[in-house]
Amino acid sequence: MRGKLLYEGKAKQVFQSAENEQELVLSYKNDATAFNGKKKASFEGKGRYNNLISTHIFEYLKNQGISSHFIKPLSETEQLVKKTTIVPLEVVVRNVAAGSITRRLGIPEKTVFQPVLTELYYKDDSLDDPIINDAHALLLTDVNEEELAFIKQAALEVNQHLQTFFDRVGSDWSISNLNSAVTTTAPSFYQMKSLRIHAGFGTKRMAARWTRMYSVKTLVT
């Protein structure tokens, strides 16, 4: 199924599919990074868990009517996806204060945001992924206003569905509570308060092709 290696990043390798030029094979690595790659480590089984969890989440979102780049799992560490072109934007949907926003703005930990707070970040490791506004996003990427509005609305919809999903699994977002979902037990270092979902979503301008990729980070209690 694998073809030529196209890209290797911090968490996964990207291969051309040997069977379809419009499809790719994502291979999850055991490497773990933090602070935009400044800190690195390797954990046996991380690639397998990443693949199992993301597969289950994308299948759940598909059942809720949310289409994405995901096609199907291929192995314990690989999945087949539609080819996309990355838009270097990260959409962060915050339901509760945690992590960087508490340090950046002095907001007390676990403050609930009503309505939820949506932020944009420019994906560039050399710049440490700076927070940006809509005007910056239109300047730095090739998206137009309609597409940017679509991206932000899609992030909010994904956030709502994931809240329901994780309410069913367990409120603390520890991966150990996903046992029934991924039919495995994860080590304690996988306990987390946030989750990044990387997915390609279509826009009206790109209706015939899957050429938009961004990430959604959802923070919950």
Side-chain angles (χ1 to χ4, degrees):
M1 181 65 90
R2 279 188 185 183
K4 179 182 177 182
L5 176 65
L6 301 178
Y7 171 78
E8 182 164 2
K10 294 176 288 188
K12 63 179 77 71
Q13 294 173 310
V14 181
F15 296 88
Q16 176 63 54
S17 168
E19 300 177 3
N20 188 328
E21 65 177 14
Q22 297 303 315
E23 296 176 351
L24 303 173
V25 176
L26 300 187
S27 178
Y28 287 90
K29 300 162 59 177
N30 287 332
D31 296 343
T33 64
F35 305 106
N36 291 325
K38 293 181 177 64
K39 298 184 70 173
K40 299 179 182 180
S42 182
F43 301 96
E44 186 64 32
K46 175 179 179 292
R48 176 171 176 265
Y49 291 121
N50 282 356
N51 187 44
L52 286 168
I53 294 165
S54 63
T55 291
H56 191 78
I57 288 172
F58 282 125
E59 288 177 342
Y60 173 80
L61 290 175
K62 181 180 179 180
N63 290 335
Q64 308 310 309
I66 302 293
S67 299
S68 72
H69 69 314
F70 177 81
I71 299 175
K72 64 179 181 180
L74 297 175
S75 69
E76 287 192 341
T77 59
E78 295 178 335
Q79 57 186 233
L80 187 68
V81 301
K82 297 175 184 178
K83 184 178 289 188
T84 66
T85 299
I86 292 174
V87 174
L89 293 178
E90 180 177 21
V91 184
V92 178
V93 180
R94 299 184 185 271
N95 301 294
V96 63
S100 62
I101 195 169
T102 62
R103 299 187 297 272
R104 190 171 73 242
L105 299 179
I107 299 173
E109 189 90 12
K110 297 184 179 180
T111 298
V112 177
F113 296 118
Q114 292 288 352
V116 298
L117 186 65
T118 303
E119 299 174 332
L120 293 176
Y121 290 81
Y122 183 51
K123 296 297 292 179
D124 188 321
D125 284 351
S126 67
L127 300 175
D128 289 330
D129 297 351
I131 188 170
I132 61 175
N133 59 30
D134 286 14
H136 295 146
L138 296 174
L139 175 67
L140 294 169
T141 73
D142 68 342
V143 299
N144 57 37
E145 291 185 2
E146 181 183 13
E147 290 173 326
L148 183 59
F150 172 88
I151 287 172
K152 292 163 68 176
Q153 180 58 39
L156 292 174
E157 292 178 12
V158 169
N159 177 62
Q160 290 179 335
H161 288 302
L162 290 185
Q163 285 191 73
T164 300
F165 174 81
F166 282 100
D167 281 344
R168 289 165 50 187
V169 174
S171 62
D172 69 357
W173 277 58
S174 65
I175 301 307
S176 59
N177 282 344
L178 280 172
N179 288 346
S180 61
V182 300
T183 63
T184 188
T185 301
S188 60
F189 65 79
Y190 278 98
Q191 292 190 355
M192 63 179 73
K193 285 289 185 180
S194 66
L195 183 70
R196 273 192 177 87
I197 307 297
H198 295 268
F201 290 84
T203 67
K204 289 182 179 178
R205 181 156 67 101
M206 301 294 176
R209 294 186 299 150
W210 296 84
T211 56
R212 287 294 177 240
M213 177 174 280
Y214 65 94
S215 64
V216 178
K217 184 180 186 181
T218 302
L219 302 176
V220 302
T221 52

